[in-house]
Amino acid sequence: MEANVLTTEMILVMIMIGIAVFLFIVEWIRVDMVAILMTITLPLLHLVTPKEAFSGFSSNAVISIIAVIIIGAGLDKTGLINRLVKPVMKVAGNSSSRIVIAMGATVAVISSFMQNIGAAALFLPAIRRVSKSMNIPLSQMLMPIGFCAILGGTITLVGCSPLILLNDLLAPFNLEPFGLFDVTPVGLSLVATGIGFFILFGRFVLPKGNAEESGSSDESIQELSSSYEYIGDPFELKVPGDFTDFMDPLTVKDIREKYLVNVVAIAGRDGFKLLSAAPDMEIRSDVDIVVYGRQENVEKMAKELGIQIKDSLDLFRHDMSAAISGTIEAVVAPRSGLIGKTLRKAHFWEQFQVNPLAIYRSDKAFYSGLSDFELRSGDSILLHGTWERFNILQEMHNFIFTTPVSEVLKPQKALIAGFWLATALVMIIIFKIQLSVALMTGAFGMIVCQVLSIDEAYKAVDWRTIFLLAGLIPLGIATEKTGTAAWIAHTILNLIGDVSPVILMTAIAVLSTFFTLVISNVGATVLLVPLVVNMALAAGADPRMAALVVGLATSNSFMLPTHQVNALYMGPGRYKSVDFIKAGGIMTVLFIVVLIGMLYLFYGL
């Protein structure tokens, strides 16, 4: 097929690409649903065969990503990663710069063998504790370490989804696949650049922030006062027997909205206690309640409503003790099922049985209207409840707690987990066994040795990412099979004329960076690799290097809080979008310069 002849099939493929990109940007439906739409539509249009449409689910890349996620979950379950924090802190000492270097480098190395969002989530509680103990603003630490987690994904071929996917996308062109450590020199240089940038210029581009108060791991309202305005203290009150005789029904939501006081527990006449109060719950006569609020607000409420404030906690003295319950800050996880839902629609109180006291987004704290607050990834919620409920909540993976909640770990299995990770790497490096087979061997070994159960392994896998990747692979096949990639490549080259390989690779890096900011990095990789390989072949450049630029540059996602790691750290760090634009804009330019420079030095572009 001639590359310069536009056919009906090419037009259909370009329409499908346009639809996919449009849906990725407007987010009318979830990205994995977009991928499934492509999987269904492409064979219906006879652009790929049914076998090709579902080939992504059996691809080497998809199986490798599943295995990497399970291995990462096993390392997390044993607490092996957390053990690295203490020696890292000993090396760092009391210097904030050395802390950023030590923790940033450690997170980057961990990110090179597991999903970067997993590494970033593991280190969030540790960074929070360091911020408190050393009186360093959290905003001065989270962004540098978060950027290092993203950059760490470029150190090995299993560090991020686009690089895992790369060899599969090169297979149709019969190009030599990349080895596990072929990208390591480039990735290490990018990490060093990121750390060096924040060490030298962090004071100019990072928000100043406020240092976390020092304190123990037992969270209290006072310990969180640097993140939120002072919420107040717990008060127990007695509602009189004639409370509902002369007034309209009063709900928990009414009290929060009018007095900024949170009702967190209610005991009825029969003594039955409820430690989670839904917004529409009515305050009835002759009950005892516990509220969190400032003293002046509680006194105002009690005076206007005729409610008696007790001298101290009485009925709830045990339930509100530090050993039973407390207050903790939780961040909405990037793949939480609560994203896009309000607390009311999610039946938050009934489902989780904890009480939200405040919600923090970017630079604003919200103390009222919580019921109708639509959650986003990275939102921070101040929660009050029992430690038992927090443990259950943590297992649901909807939230990432910024301070540790007691969890059943398996430290005795740490060496076994490390052994199976090492086994997988030896199989890849020394015995040259296919990536998916080696990694799945490591994952299976962890399950057989009971590092984690098979059910825990299934729960650990982000199936939305799997369906996104598997569903978009047929679009890449259709783009190459129909000649669409070759046609677009020739058209672009005719427009820009003859350029040197360095200029061509730089243009590809910029294009990849733009795509990864508006659509997923997996989507950008699938769409761009066939295109840039054809461009390189037509221009006489190295097609493998063109594909590698795409695989690496799709990690260049710093300017907007759209990357999962940025979204995760935005709430706890109290960052605004402009903070990412300021620091991320410079980092984006440095990324492209270092990427092209290192490829030129090591691979001779």
Side-chain angles (χ1 to χ4, degrees):
M1 181 182 296
E2 294 294 330
N4 59 349
V5 177
L6 185 62
T7 66
T8 302
E9 286 184 333
M10 292 180 187
I11 295 173
L12 288 175
V13 170
M14 285 189 282
I15 290 173
M16 294 306 299
I17 292 174
I19 291 173
V21 172
F22 175 76
L23 290 176
F24 278 141
I25 294 173
V26 299
E27 297 182 342
W28 286 348
I29 59 176
R30 278 180 9 184
V31 291
D32 51 332
M33 290 297 294
V34 176
I36 294 173
L37 176 64
M38 296 297 111
T39 303
I40 297 170
T41 308
L42 290 171
L44 291 177
L45 294 175
H46 301 291
L47 298 174
V48 296
T49 65
K51 183 178 180 179
E52 289 171 333
F54 295 100
S55 62
F57 291 94
S58 61
S59 71
N60 177 62
V62 169
I63 301 302
S64 298
I65 289 175
I66 292 174
V68 165
I69 293 174
I70 294 174
I71 289 174
L75 296 174
D76 184 22
K77 187 70 175 178
T78 63
L80 185 62
I81 303 301
N82 292 332
R83 291 186 181 185
L84 296 175
V85 176
K86 287 185 178 179
V88 168
M89 292 313 302
K90 287 182 179 179
V91 172
N94 295 323
S95 167
S96 59
S97 296
R98 288 170 63 183
I99 289 173
V100 170
I101 294 172
M103 296 194 77
T106 304
V107 170
V109 171
I110 294 172
S111 293
S112 68
F113 292 104
M114 64 184 293
Q115 294 287 291
N116 47 32
I117 182 62
L122 284 173
F123 268 75
L124 180 55
I127 299 169
R128 184 71 180 255
R129 291 197 299 272
V130 172
S131 172
K132 287 183 178 181
S133 63
M134 299 189 62
N135 203 33
I136 300 172
L138 201 57
S139 60
Q140 297 281 305
M141 300 176 63
L142 280 180
M143 189 181 291
I145 294 172
F147 280 15
C148 286
I150 297 173
L151 293 169
T154 64
I155 295 178
T156 69
L157 210 68
V158 297
C160 61
S161 299
L163 288 177
I164 294 176
L165 181 62
L166 197 58
N167 283 337
D168 278 20
L169 296 176
L170 290 179
F173 299 96
N174 295 318
L175 296 173
E176 180 186 352
F178 290 99
L180 180 64
F181 295 109
D182 283 353
V183 296
T184 300
V186 181
L188 291 176
S189 299
L190 290 169
V191 172
T193 300
I195 293 174
F197 165 63
F198 282 107
I199 295 301
L200 296 175
F201 303 104
R203 71 191 72 176
F204 305 110
V205 298
L206 291 172
K208 301 302 179 184
N210 296 314
E212 293 285 333
E213 292 183 8
S214 59
S216 67
S217 60
D218 285 339
E219 285 294 324
S220 67
I221 292 294
Q222 287 79 7
E223 288 174 332
L224 291 166
S225 61
S226 61
S227 303
Y228 301 84
E229 291 181 23
Y230 175 56
I231 295 265
D233 299 294
F235 296 87
E236 186 170 328
L237 301 94
K238 178 67 177 181
V239 180
D242 60 350
F243 182 71
T244 56
D245 292 349
F246 307 104
M247 62 182 301
D248 294 332
L250 184 72
T251 65
V252 169
K253 181 182 178 182
D254 294 333
I255 293 177
R256 178 188 295 118
E257 302 301 314
K258 185 174 182 180
Y259 301 105
L260 295 182
V261 170
N262 291 278
V263 179
V264 297
I266 299 177
R269 299 175 185 176
D270 56 359
F272 178 77
K273 297 176 183 178
L274 191 63
L275 301 180
S276 176
D280 56 355
M281 180 174 292
E282 294 184 9
I283 306 299
R284 302 185 180 275
S285 301
D286 199 23
V287 298
D288 296 273
I289 64 174
V290 175
V291 301
Y292 258 106
R294 296 189 180 193
Q295 184 171 348
E296 59 269 27
N297 291 344
V298 176
E299 289 176 348
K300 178 183 178 182
M301 178 196 74
K303 182 179 179 180
E304 292 185 5
L305 298 178
I307 299 176
Q308 175 192 352
I309 302 177
K310 297 185 181 181
D311 295 333
S312 61
L313 294 175
D314 181 19
L315 290 178
F316 293 92
R317 183 173 60 254
H318 174 72
D319 304 280
M320 294 292 135
S321 66
I324 302 298
S325 63
T327 305
I328 197 168
E329 186 178 19
V331 181
V332 179
R335 296 181 288 270
S336 171
L338 299 175
I339 294 174
K341 297 180 180 179
T342 64
L343 296 181
R344 184 192 302 276
K345 289 182 179 179
H347 303 288
F348 188 88
W349 290 263
E350 297 85 354
Q351 182 178 1
F352 303 121
Q353 297 178 35
V354 294
N355 299 286
L357 305 180
I359 298 178
Y360 198 101
R361 173 177 293 167
S362 300
D363 60 336
K364 293 182 179 180
F366 299 87
Y367 302 94
S368 61
L370 304 185
S371 308
D372 302 312
F373 197 95
E374 187 174 296
L375 296 178
R376 299 178 187 172
S377 174
D379 285 345
S380 294
I381 308 181
L382 189 62
L383 299 172
H384 179 274
T386 64
W387 301 120
E388 179 184 6
R389 295 306 310 176
F390 285 140
N391 271 306
I392 295 173
L393 187 58
Q394 184 169 248
E395 293 175 359
M396 295 179 180
H397 302 294
N398 282 309
F399 295 101
I400 297 169
F401 294 113
T402 60
T403 49
V405 177
S406 57
E407 179 185 3
V408 180
L409 297 178
K410 296 181 178 180
Q412 70 276 15
K413 300 284 187 178
L415 291 179
I416 296 176
F419 168 78
W420 283 110
L421 172 62
T423 299
L425 295 178
V426 168
M427 292 173 69
I428 297 168
I429 300 167
I430 298 178
F431 296 101
K432 308 297 182 183
I433 295 176
Q434 184 168 297
L435 196 65
S436 57
V437 177
L439 292 173
M440 191 55 73
T441 300
F444 183 74
M446 288 191 180
I447 295 170
V448 168
C449 293
Q450 298 182 341
V451 174
L452 70 171
S453 68
I454 185 65
D455 289 331
E456 289 172 331
Y458 286 142
K459 289 179 182 178
V461 176
D462 177 19
W463 295 106
R464 279 178 282 189
T465 298
I466 301 305
F467 273 85
L468 170 64
L469 176 57
L472 286 180
I473 285 177
L475 187 57
I477 294 173
T479 304
E480 176 57 29
K481 179 181 178 181
T482 60
T484 306
W487 184 87
I488 296 174
H490 280 79
T491 303
I492 293 175
L493 289 176
N494 288 334
L495 291 174
I496 65 176
D498 293 330
V499 294
S500 67
V502 172
I503 299 298
L504 178 62
M505 297 301 170
T506 303
I508 291 172
V510 173
L511 183 64
S512 302
T513 299
F514 171 76
F515 265 73
T516 201
L517 289 174
V518 296
I519 66 175
S520 73
N521 54 4
V522 170
T525 305
V526 171
L527 295 177
L528 290 177
V529 166
L531 171 63
V532 301
V533 167
N534 279 278
M535 287 177 63
L537 290 171
D542 188 343
R544 290 178 74 245
M545 289 302 101
L548 184 59
V549 168
V550 173
L552 291 168
T554 47
S555 292
N556 192 10
S557 184
F558 306 104
M559 287 184 64
L560 298 173
T562 50
H563 193 282
Q564 291 177 333
V565 174
N566 292 341
L568 173 65
Y569 281 176
M570 188 175 185
R574 310 301 181 238
Y575 296 119
K576 306 175 186 177
S577 294
V578 69
D579 295 325
F580 284 99
I581 294 173
K582 186 190 300 182
I586 300 174
M587 190 65 233
T588 296
V589 175
L590 289 175
F591 186 104
I592 294 174
V593 171
V594 172
L595 169 61
I596 301 302
M598 292 301 295
L599 290 179
Y600 181 81
L601 290 175
F602 278 87
Y603 295 101
L605 292 181

